[in-house]
């Protein structure tokens, strides 16, 4: 019996009653048939980030998505469609696209997880998100018991969301198809941190490989890379959402010197990290036994000796949470 702690980046989680490792795309029908016999919808794990597994372990089957591989197909003079198996690490998919001179996901480097997991929360960074280039998802529909192909409009993409997130358990993503553009240059710079790292102005298109490397450097400097060792090694990765705020709240935050952004739907959002700092949280502070903010940023929670999944779900937050709600009541 395998502990899920062995398969999650938090290294938490009890025994899985049934852990099925999927490595061969052609074998999916047999695996799905096995799961259907259990009469329970499974949970699918990719790289194990963004996951909090229960201390007791799940009563339902767990599928470890370990399929690998990327294929490419030219579809226009400057466009190439690449199809990645769901278990392909997202960071390696980004590396592949940059090495092939394909622009569209170069700013997504350093994000933990797999290609198949990226559409679930519409993974994004530095102004790019996976929905910008995704054309089709191959998925298994547990409701109909068939493999389906969902075009991008059917995926319900929004700010860090999709139908796969709002309807958990309905589909298992098997492969993703992205349309990228042949280019020696990256997308225009839209984030100050990255522009400063490259020594360029906002709006400039840097060389593709240099942009991808700068992303990794900037993410590392700001504690956004999942470390292999050290006090911050056990974490779930980047799982925060910048909360939407009203016009009056936005004005108060800007007056106080806080940053504001707008998402793809032009909704104003405050910086979650800045708000937590205003509420009295700081890097390294303890929230519960074995649960700390990372040593580099308050947004990332880390597990230490004695940590449990229960403590992560219901941490004993220190004073300051009330002050946060008092100042920005609908942003909590």
């Amino acid at each position: 019996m395998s502990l899920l702690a062995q398969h999650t980046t938090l290294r938490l989680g009890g025994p899985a009653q049934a852990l099925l490792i999927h490595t061969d795309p052609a074998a999916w029908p047999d695996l799905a048939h096995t799961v259907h016999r259990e009469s329970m919808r499974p949970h699918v794990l990719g790289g194990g980030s963004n996951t909090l597994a229960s201390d007791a372990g799940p009563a339902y089957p767990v599928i470890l998505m370990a399929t690998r591989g990327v294929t490419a197909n030219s579809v226009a003079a400057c466009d190439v469609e690449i199809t990645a198996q769901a278990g392909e690490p997202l960071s390696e998919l980004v590396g592949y696209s940059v090495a092939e001179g394909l622009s569209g996901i170069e700013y997504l480097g350093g994000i933990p997880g797999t290609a198949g997991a990226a559409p679930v929360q519409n993974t994004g960074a530095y102004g790019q998100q996976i929905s910008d280039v995704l054309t089709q998802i191959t998925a298994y529909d547990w409701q109909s018991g068939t493999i389906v192909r969902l075009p991008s409009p059917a995926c319900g993409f929004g700010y860090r969301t999709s139908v796969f997130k709002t309807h958990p358990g309905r589909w298992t993503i098997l492969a993703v198809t992205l349309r990228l553009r042949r280019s020696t240059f990256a997308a225009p710079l839209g984030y100050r941190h990255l522009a400063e790292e490259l020594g360029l102005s906002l709006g400039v298109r840097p060389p593709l490989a240099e942009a991808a490397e700068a992303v990794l450097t900037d993410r590392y400097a700001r504690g956004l890379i999942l470390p292999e060792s050290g006090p911050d090694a056990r974490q779930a990765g980047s799982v925060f959402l910048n909360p939407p705020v009203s016009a009056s709240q936005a004005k108060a935050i800007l007056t106080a010197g806080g940053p504001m952004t707008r998402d793809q739907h032009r909704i104003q959002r405050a910086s979650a990290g800045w708000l937590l700092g205003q509420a009295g949280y700081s890097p390294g502070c303890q929230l519960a036994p074995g649960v700390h903010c990372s040593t580099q940023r308050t947004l990332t929670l880390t597990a230490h000796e004695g940590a449990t999944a229960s403590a992560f779900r219901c941490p004993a937050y220190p004073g300051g949470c009330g002050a946060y709600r008092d100042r920005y009541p609908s942003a909590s």
Side-chain angles (χ1 to χ4, degrees):
M1 192 173 292
S2 180
L3 292 175
L4 288 188
Q6 300 170 342
H7 303 286
T8 63
T9 58
L10 275 170
R11 302 176 202 165
L12 294 174
Q17 302 299 317
L19 179 66
L20 306 171
I21 302 177
H22 180 49
T23 58
D24 180 6
W28 177 261
D30 291 336
L31 186 148
H33 180 70
T34 298
V35 174
H36 275 296
R37 290 205 305 263
E38 300 287 332
S39 299
M40 299 179 73
R41 295 277 174 89
H43 180 81
V44 179
L45 277 179
S49 60
N50 282 24
T51 299
L52 181 63
S54 70
D55 299 312
Y60 42 79
V62 176
I63 298 172
L64 185 61
M65 189 63 68
T67 52
R68 299 289 297 272
V70 182
T71 58
N73 177 44
S74 295
V75 292
C78 295
D79 290 354
V80 175
E81 278 194 340
I82 62 173
T83 297
Q85 295 300 314
E88 186 72 20
L90 180 60
S91 59
E92 295 193 18
L93 182 62
V94 172
Y96 169 89
S97 70
V98 172
E100 294 295 315
L102 301 174
S103 174
I105 56 173
E106 59 273 11
Y107 293 144
L108 305 187
I111 298 175
T114 58
V120 176
Q121 67 162 4
N122 192 14
T123 292
Y126 301 103
Q128 284 184 339
Q129 53 191 1
I130 203 72
S131 63
D132 295 338
V133 294
L134 189 143
T135 59
Q136 178 180 271
I137 284 176
T138 302
Y140 184 76
D141 185 343
W142 291 97
Q143 186 170 298
S144 66
T146 60
I147 292 177
V148 297
R149 287 171 177 79
L150 302 173
S152 183
C155 297
F157 288 124
Y159 172 71
R160 303 295 174 265
T161 192
S162 69
V163 295
F164 311 106
K165 185 174 182 178
T166 57
H167 295 78
R170 168 70 186 274
W171 295 276
T172 291
I173 296 174
L174 303 176
V176 298
T177 299
L178 313 177
R179 186 163 182 156
L180 306 179
R181 173 144 293 200
R182 294 190 188 277
S183 178
T184 57
F185 292 95
L189 289 165
Y191 276 68
R192 177 178 53 82
H193 290 293
L194 196 57
E196 290 175 352
E197 180 64 36
L198 287 160
L200 298 172
S201 302
L202 292 173
V204 171
R205 297 184 63 195
L208 186 64
E210 291 181 23
E213 185 62 32
V215 164
L216 298 178
T217 301
D218 182 60
R219 289 182 70 87
Y220 180 81
R222 295 195 292 134
L224 290 167
I225 294 287
L226 196 67
E228 294 183 2
S229 60
D232 298 335
R234 294 174 60 186
Q235 57 170 277
S238 183
V239 296
F240 67 90
L241 295 175
N242 288 327
V245 293
S246 66
S248 61
Q249 288 174 325
K251 182 179 179 180
I253 290 170
L254 289 170
T255 300
M260 293 292 305
T261 59
R262 290 184 183 271
D263 64 22
Q264 68 197 83
H265 300 297
R266 305 299 297 165
I267 295 173
Q268 291 191 107
R269 292 184 179 272
S271 164
W274 184 86
L275 288 171
L276 287 170
Q278 294 296 297
Y281 297 100
S282 60
C285 70
Q286 182 173 346
L287 303 178
V291 182
H292 295 250
C293 292
S294 87
T295 59
Q296 290 188 275
R297 58 203 311 265
T298 54
L299 279 173
T300 301
L301 299 188
T302 59
H304 297 253
E305 184 176 355
T308 63
S310 297
F312 267 86
R313 287 193 181 92
C314 301
Y317 286 107
C321 190
Y324 170 82
R325 283 195 293 266
D326 291 343
R327 293 181 67 182
Y328 312 106
S330 71
S332 58

